[in-house]
Amino acid sequence: MSTPRRTRDQGFITPLRPTAYLLHPDPDELSPAQVFHQVAHGFAFTDVQNLLSATTQCDEQQVWRRILGQPQSRQRSRRRLRPARLTPQQSAIALHYACAVELASEVFGSLALAEVWLVRPCFYFGGELPLDMLSNAVGFQALKVYLQQLAYGVYA
């Protein structure tokens, strides 16, 4: 499903983390300022495409529409052009998606369960889809806090 990579210490192959598709070479080695500069420069279209191919088991078009900020009809015609890089806003949404998938996978135990959760209305968010919360920093922060509460067993 996802692109394998060899870990340094154990020598066995593990799947690539979602954020690793966007933040090269290793997301954990980047400072927040370096992450900001990568987002400001815009992620490569192919990197986002690889991320979605590896993580999206539900509806990849649904995620693309949210990242690109376009209705489906415009998004299809725009896909033919395939820009080399996403805009900073689109890149920020793609990074929010990768981080959300990563955190939700840890909380729910699998990528499949995380993706099902992302596309279903959530009572905590007033019936909004968690996927829709990723379009801005405030929504992403709310989603992150909620997932952290679930991870620690705090149900508010």
Side-chain angles (χ1 to χ4, degrees), residues 49-152:
Q49 199 169 34
N50 291 338
L51 164 70
L52 295 183
S53 295
T55 60
T56 308
Q57 298 173 359
C58 297
D59 184 5
E60 187 174 328
Q61 294 304 316
Q62 187 177 18
V63 179
W64 266 120
R65 283 193 309 271
R66 282 165 177 86
I67 290 173
L68 296 177
Q70 301 170 343
Q72 186 168 356
S73 59
R74 265 190 81 204
Q75 193 263 336
R76 280 188 183 152
S77 63
R78 175 104 171 151
R79 258 182 98 190
R80 287 185 211 125
L81 302 176
R82 293 205 172 147
R85 303 197 88 67
L86 272 59
T87 67
Q89 176 64 27
Q90 293 167 339
S91 296
I93 295 169
L95 182 60
H96 289 168
Y97 172 76
C99 291
V101 167
E102 218 168 270
L103 187 55
S105 294
E106 291 172 16
V107 170
F108 297 116
S110 75
L111 177 62
L113 291 175
E115 292 209 351
V116 167
W117 179 77
L118 281 168
V119 296
R120 287 198 177 152
C122 180
F123 179 76
Y124 184 84
F125 300 128
E128 293 288 329
L129 300 180
L131 187 60
D132 290 335
M133 302 294 290
L134 304 175
S135 64
N136 64 57
V138 176
F140 173 67
Q141 186 62 32
L143 182 135
K144 197 165 121 178
V145 166
Y146 178 65
L147 287 172
Q148 289 169 340
Q149 288 175 340
L150 287 178
Y152 290 111

